[in-house]
Amino acid sequence: MVCCSAKAKLAKAVKLHRNFHFKTGLLLDQGVRLFGVHKFPLTKPLYKAVKVAGYTNVSLASIALVLLED
């Protein structure tokens, strides 16, 4: 009986999490830009904050994945 280690399962979960946020973030960003919501004065700061948070989420998941694969 072959069983995956806990580290391999965690690495797989982190990779799926990162890919999910990367792909959905791109789709949402295209939708926002399509409708021009990122240009409105009230939503411009929120758009930038959400975009930075999304990039931070993907980058932290990538760093965790590198540490898990060592």
Side-chain angles (χ1 to χ4, degrees):
M1 179 182 215
V2 177
C3 183
C4 299
S5 69
K7 199 171 186 180
K9 287 181 184 179
L10 183 59
K12 184 177 179 180
V14 169
K15 185 182 283 187
L16 290 172
H17 172 81
R18 180 194 62 186
N19 291 342
F20 170 77
H21 280 287
F22 189 66
K23 291 176 184 174
T24 57
L26 288 175
L27 289 173
L28 290 172
D29 189 46
Q30 288 175 352
V32 166
R33 289 185 169 276
L34 179 69
F35 293 113
V37 177
H38 67 289
K39 294 181 181 178
F40 296 148
L42 293 175
T43 57
K44 194 172 189 174
L46 180 63
Y47 170 76
K48 288 182 180 183
V50 168
K51 195 163 186 175
V52 168
Y55 285 135
T56 304
N57 192 2
V58 170
S59 64
L60 289 175
S62 298
I63 291 169
L65 195 57
V66 167
L67 293 175
L68 285 171
E69 288 180 348
D70 282 346

